[in-house]
Amino acid sequence: MKDWIAGARPRTLPAALVPVLVGTAAAAGMNGDTNALKGLFIWRFVAALVVSLALQIGVNYANDYSDGIRGTDADRVGPMRLTGSGRKSPGAVKRAAFLSFGVAAAAGLSLAAATSWWLIAVGLVAIAAAWFYTGGPRPYGYAGLGEVFVFVFFGVVATTGSAFVQIERFTPLTVLVSIPVGLFATALLVVNNLRDIPGDTESGKRTLAVRLGDKRTRIFYIVLVVLPFFMVPFLCGLSQRPAGAFSMFAVLLARKPVQRVIEGARGPALIPVLGATGKVQLAFGVLISVGLFIGG
């Protein structure tokens, strides 16, 4: 069980939790309700959370399986991989990935039945994108497009989708607030790929970090972490929810990982940076969610 938990990569799970929190909080009060829950459906929040977490875990297992059978994890620097390390058979890891996708699909189906059936199409596209990130004959993650997938699906789609299942429409606020969420999620992938540049270069895995090179990838990471804080005043002002500025306190946690990247941390020294980036994302997400909910 410890191996399966490690293979799910818990440090990446804030990328699944934060968009659901933020999207749900942004929807608070938009149905005109003034009760304690401000018109929010708790069961829909829980179902959206299950969808997001199951997709994140599923894509982690899918990447583990696909990278493992290709041999690109043979000299991996980062956390243990189930397939590449031989701890679990490729078939078992593949089944775990599809089981996770199945859980996400079941929860998503309940949301589609309660709101709009077009969510089924969105869910199918998300599952396909998760699998073909490193799976299939031409994985787009190997072509430097992984960051696009993360920004779109764990930023824009997850955040606006979590709001949509509450209010059944899109608003400028739910779209705008999805951008900083996506930037933080992308930062997690970028620092992960920064760490893996030497191994990915050797194995022919042309991630965006490999294409940009070490120096420009570090600059890209810093921009991804810093830009959300510059967006907060505009977002809170335009939405007339000033309490969302609570999220600025998360910048206190951002100093350490940004400093480590600026100082040139490499290889295993970047593993704590991944965890620290997840903490920044989680703190930002919780704080801005509280502010959005209060102002809703």
Side-chain angles (χ1 to χ4, degrees):
M1 182 57 67
K2 289 175 65 176
D3 286 344
W4 286 113
I5 292 173
R9 299 182 227 172
R11 290 180 177 178
T12 67
L13 296 186
L17 172 62
V18 167
V20 181
L21 287 175
V22 174
T24 303
M30 289 189 178
N31 282 330
D33 296 285
T34 58
N35 58 25
L37 294 178
K38 299 192 175 184
L40 298 179
F41 298 90
I42 296 302
W43 80 265
R44 294 186 187 182
F45 164 75
V46 173
L49 189 59
V50 170
V51 171
S52 191
L53 287 170
L55 277 176
Q56 178 68 65
I57 293 171
V59 75
N60 288 342
Y61 284 144
N63 292 348
D64 191 308
Y65 165 77
S66 297
D67 286 343
I69 63 172
R70 283 189 170 89
T72 55
D73 280 341
D75 299 314
R76 185 173 176 79
V77 175
M80 182 272 299
R81 290 289 189 98
L82 297 171
T83 308
S85 67
R87 297 283 187 93
K88 303 294 179 183
S89 70
V93 177
K94 185 178 182 180
R95 287 192 294 274
F98 280 96
L99 176 61
S100 299
F101 293 148
V103 171
L109 186 61
S110 69
L111 290 171
T115 57
S116 173
W117 290 109
W118 68 262
L119 289 178
I120 294 176
V122 175
L124 291 174
V125 171
I127 291 173
W131 176 255
F132 290 108
Y133 173 56
T134 55
R138 297 177 65 86
Y140 64 87
Y142 285 24
L145 297 175
E147 285 75 7
V148 176
F149 160 73
V150 169
F151 179 81
V152 171
F153 286 98
F154 286 98
V156 177
V157 173
T159 306
T160 58
S162 296
F164 180 86
V165 298
Q166 297 291 337
I167 58 177
E168 299 186 35
R169 65 183 187 276
F170 299 105
T171 71
L173 173 60
T174 60
V175 174
L176 282 173
V177 81
S178 73
I179 296 174
V181 172
L183 293 174
F184 275 120
T186 306
L188 287 171
L189 179 61
V190 169
V191 74
N192 185 75
N193 288 344
L194 172 64
R195 181 197 64 216
D196 293 339
I197 284 177
D200 288 344
T201 301
E202 186 176 344
S203 64
K205 190 175 179 180
R206 299 283 291 171
T207 64
L208 182 61
V210 171
R211 293 171 180 269
L212 290 177
D214 184 272
K215 182 178 179 180
R216 285 187 291 181
T217 300
R218 292 176 188 275
I219 295 172
F220 186 36
Y221 168 80
I222 294 167
V223 171
L224 290 170
V225 173
V226 173
L227 186 57
F229 295 104
F230 282 96
M231 291 186 63
V232 168
F234 299 99
L235 193 154
C236 294
L238 291 173
S239 66
Q240 296 184 340
R241 299 194 188 186
F246 290 158
S247 58
M248 294 296 290
F249 286 105
V251 76
L252 300 174
L253 296 177
R255 183 190 64 82
K256 187 173 182 180
V258 168
Q259 183 177 354
R260 295 297 300 276
V261 169
I262 291 174
E263 291 173 348
R266 300 176 184 275
L270 284 169
I271 296 176
V273 176
L274 177 63
T277 304
K279 291 178 182 177
V280 177
Q281 181 191 31
L282 183 58
F284 181 92
V286 170
L287 291 171
I288 200 167
S289 296
V290 170
L292 292 173
F293 181 82
I294 291 173

